[in-house]
């Protein structure tokens, strides 16, 4: 009978050791799971914050794009107006340059006529 008793004690000891190993494994698994969840929550929080920052940056970039587009349209309109002004001034300058010699001759003739009139009037006194 003592062999049977020893065998039962060994089985009980093996069972306790197996149970202790299972409990230790369970605790390790639980600890690993808790760490995984903690790291996952930290990562989720960080990514959520990153997404919010990116949404803000995107909104700012879109606003800047709209402003740039508005500025571009205003600049194009101003450029078109300046081009129209340039065309008008060029026509005016071309007219003046084309008629410059004729106008200069007419002014010289007027000056000569005024000098002649002055000479006549000076002699009449």
């Amino acid at each position: 009978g003592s062999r049977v008793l020893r065998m039962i004690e060994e089985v009980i000891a093996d069972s306790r050791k197996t149970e202790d190993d299972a409990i230790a494994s369970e605790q390790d698994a639980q600890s690993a799971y808790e760490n995984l969840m903690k790291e996952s929550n930290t990562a989720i929080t960080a990514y959520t914050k990153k997404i919010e920052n990116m949404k803000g940056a995107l909104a700012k970039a879109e606003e800047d794009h709209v402003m740039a587009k508005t500025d571009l349209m205003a600049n194009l309109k101003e450029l078109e107006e300046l081009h129209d002004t340039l065309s008008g001034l060029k026509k005016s300058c071309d007219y003046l340059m084309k008629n410059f010699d004729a106008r200069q001759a007419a002014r010289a003739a007027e000056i000569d006529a005024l000098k002649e009139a002055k000479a006549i009037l000076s002699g009449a006194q």
Side-chain angles (χ1 to χ4, degrees):
S2 69
R3 266 178 77 172
V4 172
L5 205 51
R6 246 188 278 137
M7 209 176 0
I8 292 175
E9 287 175 355
E10 282 179 30
V11 168
I12 291 173
D14 286 346
S15 295
R16 282 191 183 143
K17 185 176 183 315
T18 304
E19 182 182 1
D20 290 344
D21 289 346
I23 290 172
S25 277
E26 176 74 24
Q27 288 174 345
D28 289 346
Q30 181 66 30
S31 177
Y33 175 76
E34 288 172 3
N35 286 337
L36 174 69
M37 291 309 295
K38 195 182 300 181
E39 290 171 2
S40 294
N41 287 336
T42 301
I44 289 170
T45 302
Y47 286 130
T48 302
K49 194 176 236 181
K50 229 178 189 181
I51 288 170
E52 290 302 317
N53 290 339
M54 287 180 175
K55 282 181 181 177
L58 177 63
K60 175 75 170 107
E62 287 174 347
E63 182 182 326
D64 290 346
H65 176 71
V66 168
M67 293 285 285
K69 212 172 182 183
T70 303
D71 289 347
L72 175 64
M73 297 309 286
N75 287 340
L76 286 175
K77 182 174 175 150
E78 184 180 354
L79 188 60
E80 189 176 306
E81 290 171 359
L82 289 172
H83 183 265
D84 292 344
T85 302
L86 175 65
S87 295
L89 290 174
K90 183 165 177 10
K91 286 178 186 175
S92 176
C93 286
D94 286 347
Y95 174 79
L96 291 175
M97 291 303 294
K98 180 180 173 188
N99 296 315
F100 179 76
D101 292 334
R103 291 180 67 198
Q104 191 173 14
R107 296 289 176 258
E110 285 179 28
I111 291 172
D112 289 342
L114 288 172
K115 284 181 184 177
E116 194 177 310
K118 182 179 173 188
I120 292 172
L121 290 175
S122 291
Q125 290 179 1

